[in-house]
Amino acid sequence: MHQTFDAALGINLLHANQAGADHNRAHFDQWGITCFNLMSSPGAGKTALLERALAALTSELKIAVIEGDMTTELDADRLRQYGVPVIAINTGRSCHLDSKMVAGGLHQFSHQYNPNEFDLVLVENVGNLVCPAEFEVGEHAKVALLSLTEGEDKPLKYPVMFQEADCLLITKMDLAPYLEVDIQQIVANVRQMNPHATIIPVSTKTGEGLEAWFEWVRTQVALPKPSVSDSENVELAATH
């Protein structure tokens, strides 16, 4: 059976994006940087989580942020208050960051700072439970957020996001006493999609679970990076 034009176009776009993501990851590996891609629906708490992470971890890790939003730099400005480099990317009408957009952010980052001095780049993706999961940006791990206010069914209705997640943070746990939400059912639904993801319930209001997530971050940063050959180093340098 022949593919439809739309299907073929989608495959080509994903293939091109993956090539760009591999290129970005080679940059990160060359610099010795770990990169996380944070994804969720709008309002799940990505920026609040990053604020708590920056406040807790910048004393031990050199961190930069790539902040994706369709318009404005409101979230970027919130994070700049923590004294870290924040590269803002406005996607316009695009509902996700892609590897080419992030490559532009990395180009800006590497010209303003010495990337070899950094340990961690946190990419805050556009709020969307669909597209960001399919477009890698060069990350070493995907972190998905699901707030209690979204209910138990989202892992089943938006499976790709939860299948791809290396770590799932169940956010806004401070609201649990006020909501008729079955947290164990959320976990069970995630496990149907992904038996291996680390699942951590958190609250940026009370601090619940945050230290467990910080420890997960530290563990990931400490993992050795793949080596980059001299020939790849030349190719990477030539792209700039």
Side-chain angles (χ1 to χ4, degrees):
M1 180 181 295
H2 293 293
Q3 293 177 328
T4 65
F5 175 78
D6 287 346
L9 179 61
I11 291 172
N12 289 339
L13 287 172
L14 288 172
H15 179 76
N17 182 80
Q18 187 61 53
D22 293 342
H23 186 79
N24 290 344
R25 190 177 301 109
H27 275 286
F28 289 128
D29 292 340
Q30 179 184 349
W31 295 329
I33 290 175
T34 300
C35 177
F36 298 149
N37 186 0
L38 276 70
M39 304 175 290
S40 77
S41 60
K46 294 187 298 299
T47 308
L49 181 78
L50 288 180
E51 288 180 307
R52 294 297 297 265
L54 295 177
L57 296 174
T58 49
S59 62
E60 56 187 285
L61 298 173
K62 194 73 178 293
I63 303 174
V65 177
I66 294 177
E67 177 63 43
D69 243 324
M70 294 182 74
T71 61
T72 82
E73 293 193 13
L74 295 174
D75 290 345
D77 288 339
R78 284 172 59 180
L79 300 178
R80 289 183 178 117
Q81 297 179 52
Y82 294 86
V84 302
V86 179
I87 307 299
I89 299 175
N90 286 144
T91 65
R93 297 180 65 179
S94 180
C95 58
H96 61 277
L97 290 173
D98 62 23
S99 61
K100 186 175 181 179
M101 295 176 193
V102 171
L106 291 182
H107 183 80
Q108 182 179 343
F109 169 63
S110 65
H111 278 72
Q112 293 181 1
Y113 306 92
N114 180 0
N116 295 291
E117 296 178 352
F118 285 78
D119 304 299
L120 178 63
V121 167
L122 299 167
V123 177
E124 181 176 354
N125 219 309
V126 177
N128 187 326
L129 272 181
V130 182
C131 304
E134 295 193 295
F135 286 80
E136 289 196 11
V137 298
E139 70 272 17
H140 295 96
K142 294 180 172 67
V143 179
L145 283 68
L146 176 69
S147 71
L148 286 187
T149 57
E150 296 173 80
E152 301 98 339
D153 60 350
K154 296 306 177 289
L156 305 179
K157 294 177 69 173
Y158 301 91
V160 176
M161 175 68 70
F162 299 93
Q163 290 166 350
E164 293 291 323
D166 298 286
C167 180
L168 172 69
L169 303 177
I170 303 175
T171 64
K172 306 189 180 182
M173 287 296 295
D174 52 288
L175 297 179
Y178 312 104
L179 300 172
E180 295 182 1
V181 178
D182 186 338
I183 298 170
Q184 293 307 312
Q185 188 60 55
I186 292 176
V187 173
N189 289 344
V190 171
R191 287 291 177 231
Q192 285 189 53
M193 301 295 105
N194 186 338
H196 306 296
T198 298
I199 301 176
I200 308 173
V202 300
S203 168
T204 59
K205 296 293 186 183
T206 67
E208 176 184 349
L210 291 181
E211 187 53 46
W213 187 62
F214 298 156
E215 189 55 37
W216 184 87
V217 171
R218 294 183 186 103
T219 300
Q220 297 298 311
V221 171
L223 294 175
K225 305 296 180 296
S227 60
V228 180
S229 70
D230 291 339
S231 61
E232 287 174 315
N233 283 333
V234 171
E235 181 181 351
L236 289 169
T239 62
H240 291 317

